[in-house]
Each structure stands twice: as structure tokens, then as C-alpha cells.
Amino acid sequence: MPTNHLASSAPPRAPRTGPLTLLSLGHACVDIYQGAVAALVPFFVAERAYTYAAASGIVLAAALLSSVVQPLFGALTDRWTMPWLLPVSTVLGGTGVALAGIMHSYPLTLLVVALSGIGVAAYHPEAARVARRASRGSHTAMGWFSLGGNLGFAAAPLMVSAVVATGGLHASPLLVVPALAGAALCLAALRSATLSSPPANTAGSAGRAGTDDWPSFLRLTGAIVCRSVVFVGLSTFISLYVRQRTGGDQVSGTAALFVLYLGGAVGTVAGGRLARRFGRVAVARWSYALSVPAVAGVVYVPGPLLYLCVALTSAGLYVPFSLHVTLGQDYLPRRVGTASGVTLGLAVSVGGIASPLVGTLADATTLQTGLAPLIVLPALGWLLLRRLQEPVQLETAPPLRHSAARG
């Protein structure tokens, strides 16, 4: 199996905490809109009487175009630095969601949500490239960058509930506020010239970057897709499902979605720390294995214990989240933008493509039956990771060239 020989005796440089903090906060503002789409689903069902399939189609709209254009943006950021994408894509992501509640037809709702998905897709490859440089290749530091996105996910149901439960779907334009704040944070982070432009000593860096290990990267991507289908399927329907299983109200469903997202914050931080001790691949492999009984608990455990299963599922799905990103970058050292676009974007959003299948099955049977197939997917992810080897880390490598990378 190919490996990336980048050993160096020089100590790794410390992460640049100032820009990285701003980038993490900006990441939170962007990923609010990934979480907001699922958080809006119960309100579309209640106010517009959408079926499960129609409601999950909204999630599909956000994911489909995002999935298609994500590799394109990754390839572009491998060739050219495009720091302007960060604030522009943040605003686009927020504007689409903000307009979703005031579109009076289903096709127009799909259109604006799809535009939001494009904004999210455009953000992640370039943001991951910039964060990689700010983190100096530290997996723990990249974990903090990923944590920002997870906190945005966690804040989404609270924000949507506070705005839409109070003013109805017609109040959705207020949801653009985090996007404006995120754009300002991105601009502040990019004021550092070393983050927004290529490093000066890039001559020949592509040649020193090592060999792209596509077989390992594709196995990793397959595992991430399995995780994505589980996560998006649960996030789309968990609010409705918990209300059915517990006999609770809208607050109980929102609380379950919040737990699903917030557990990711704990899991992401834990993942970086565990990886330093046991290795990224081993931690990811065990996380997928432990997610199998946790997801089964979400589907079948009744009553308040359901919330505990949601929390365990969230932790299991999120422990390897930031590890996916750095593993992908290390498997494709010559195409860091492409690797970031796939691991942080495409393979995450592609789960939305499967959500209408869950909705269609739920319409034909029950919501519990629709969610049951999700149990086997973490096991499939574990099988894909079973023979994956740890790549050589890029922490001590010279800065990567992103303005004219060649493959």
C-alpha cells in the first residue's frame, strides 16, 4: 500500500490560534445552515402538511447540488487560492435558508434550499485548506475547527425553534443573521496574508508532497458516506420520531435534535485526543463499531432512555469526524482541496440523497421501519475501515502549494 514519506527532524510548528479561532467560529455560522434544513422539516410538516417523502425532499435539495459541486470546488482550490469564497459562500448559505420559509410553492422552496447547499459546498474545501495552514497540520487543532461546525449544527434547532416557533415560517428571513456574522469572521481571519495567499516557498512542493493513495481514500470515503446516511437520516426525522415514541410535544423533538448535534461537539474533541494515543484509523474503526448498538437503541429503545441512545449515537458518529478530514488530506497530499471537499463536504452532504428513501419507506410503513435500515450502515463503514492503514502525517511537511497543484 502506498505511503507518504514526509518524515522530518524539525519539530512541528504551533498552530496559529487567533486565525484558527476565527475560522472555527465562522465554520459554526456556516454549518448552522446544514442543521437548519433538518430543523425546519417539522415546521414544513405542521404548517404545509408535507408528507415524510416531501419533507425529506427538502433535505435532498440541499444535499444534491452540494454533492455535485463539492468536488468541483475542491479541485479549484487545489489549483488556485480563493479566499473570497469564504465570506461569499457563507452569505449564500444563509440567504437560501432564510428565504425557504417565505417561498409559497414547493419548487421555489427546493430552489432556495438548493442555493443554500451550493453556498455550504463552496465554503468547505477552501475553509479546510486555510484551517490546515493555520493549524500547522495538527490533528487536535483541526478538531477544534471541526468542533466549530458541530456547534453550528447543535445551535441550528435552537435557533430555528426560537425564530419559527414564535413567528412561523414567515419569520425565516431572520435566520440570515448568523451568515452575516460568519462572513465578518471569515474576513477577519483572512486578514493574515499567510492564510489568504500561497506561501512563498512553494517551488517544487507538489513534488515533495508524496504519492496520492486513491484506494485508501476511496475506502475512507465509502465509510464516510455510510456515516452520512445515518446522520442525515436521523437528523431529518429524529424530532418527529421522538415525539411519536415519547408522546411529547415540539420541545421534546427539538431537544432530541439538539442532543444529536451537541454530542458531536464532545465527540469531535474526544476524537482528536484519542487519535494522538491510539491512531486515527483505530479510533475511527472503533467508533463505527460502537455506533451500531447505539443506532439500534435510537430505533428500538422506548421512553426517556431514547435520549441517551441519541447522545451515544452522536458521539459515535462524531468521534471520527475531524479524523476523516486529516486522513483524507494525508491520503491525497497532492490534492488537499479535493480531499477536503470530499471528506468535509461531499461525503457528508451525500447522506441527504438517501433521506427521501427513508421518508418513502416511512410513508409506506412506519417511521420506525423507515429508520431501521440505518442500523447496518455503521457496520458497513467498519468493514471498509477494517484493512485501512494509518498514513504518514503531514504535520512536519513544508507548506503545501495550492495555487498550481498538479496531479
Side-chain angles (χ1 to χ4, degrees):
M1 171 180 175
T3 54
N4 307 321
H5 301 289
L6 293 168
S8 172
S9 59
R13 292 173 294 169
R16 304 185 62 193
T17 56
L20 192 60
T21 298
L22 293 172
L23 288 168
S24 298
L25 293 173
H27 193 189
C29 293
V30 171
D31 277 4
I32 277 178
Y33 298 105
Q34 292 203 78
V37 175
L40 284 168
V41 164
F43 297 98
F44 285 126
V45 170
E47 293 192 28
R48 299 182 182 177
Y50 287 169
T51 64
Y52 290 141
S56 59
I58 295 174
V59 179
L60 171 63
L64 187 58
L65 277 181
S66 177
S67 299
V68 170
V69 303
Q70 194 86 239
L72 172 62
F73 283 112
L76 290 174
T77 58
D78 278 332
R79 188 170 295 270
W80 299 289
T81 57
M82 296 186 290
W84 54 269
L85 267 180
L86 271 62
V88 170
S89 60
T90 300
V91 172
L92 180 60
T95 300
V97 167
L99 293 175
I102 59 175
M103 296 292 109
H104 297 292
S105 73
Y106 186 70
L108 286 177
T109 301
L110 296 180
L111 175 62
V112 295
V113 170
L115 290 175
S116 176
I118 292 175
V120 172
Y123 170 85
H124 282 102
E126 180 68 6
R129 179 195 70 81
V130 175
R132 175 86 181 200
R133 184 164 300 155
S135 70
R136 310 297 196 195
S138 165
H139 306 314
T140 301
M142 281 297 288
W144 286 106
F145 170 70
S146 298
L147 173 63
N150 299 337
L151 291 176
F153 263 110
L158 301 181
M159 180 187 72
V160 169
S161 182
V163 172
V164 181
T166 302
L169 286 172
H170 290 290
S172 67
L174 293 174
L175 300 177
V176 78
V177 173
L180 301 178
L185 289 165
C186 290
L187 289 172
L190 291 172
R191 285 174 183 167
S192 171
T194 58
L195 294 184
S196 60
S197 60
N201 57 337
T202 56
S205 61
R208 293 195 302 267
T211 303
D212 289 338
D213 182 1
W214 282 102
S216 294
F217 181 76
L218 292 175
R219 285 197 293 273
L220 174 69
T221 300
I224 300 172
V225 168
C226 292
R227 175 212 176 270
S228 175
V229 174
V230 175
F231 180 78
V232 177
L234 289 178
S235 63
T236 302
F237 295 109
I238 195 69
S239 291
L240 296 169
Y241 186 62
V242 167
R243 291 174 64 183
Q244 289 182 8
R245 296 284 285 174
T246 63
D249 56 10
Q250 182 67 48
V251 174
S252 66
T254 299
L257 188 59
F258 176 70
V259 170
L260 179 66
Y261 290 163
L262 185 64
V266 178
T268 299
V269 175
R273 295 182 181 275
L274 289 170
R276 292 176 63 184
R277 181 172 182 181
F278 301 107
R280 291 170 290 175
V281 173
V283 170
R285 190 183 296 127
W286 277 106
S287 297
Y288 278 80
L290 294 174
S291 294
V292 176
V295 176
V298 171
V299 177
Y300 292 113
V301 170
L305 281 177
L306 180 57
Y307 288 97
L308 175 61
C309 295
V310 172
L312 293 174
T313 297
S314 178
L317 294 176
Y318 266 112
V319 161
F321 186 78
S322 66
L323 309 182
H324 291 152
V325 180
T326 59
L327 279 169
Q329 291 173 337
D330 288 348
Y331 286 133
L332 298 185
R334 296 168 65 89
R335 292 176 175 84
V336 170
T338 298
S340 302
V342 171
T343 57
L344 196 58
L346 170 63
V348 175
S349 62
V350 76
I353 298 176
S355 63
L357 300 178
V358 177
T360 300
L361 179 59
D363 283 329
T365 56
T366 65
L367 189 50
Q368 183 180 59
T369 302
L371 294 175
L374 301 181
I375 298 170
V376 304
L377 290 174
L380 179 57
W382 177 84
L383 287 174
L384 289 168
L385 296 176
R386 186 166 175 262
R387 295 188 177 181
L388 207 61
Q389 300 296 316
E390 186 80 23
V392 174
Q393 299 176 8
L394 300 181
E395 288 182 347
T396 58
L400 298 175
R401 185 180 184 179
H402 298 282
S403 56
R406 296 291 186 266

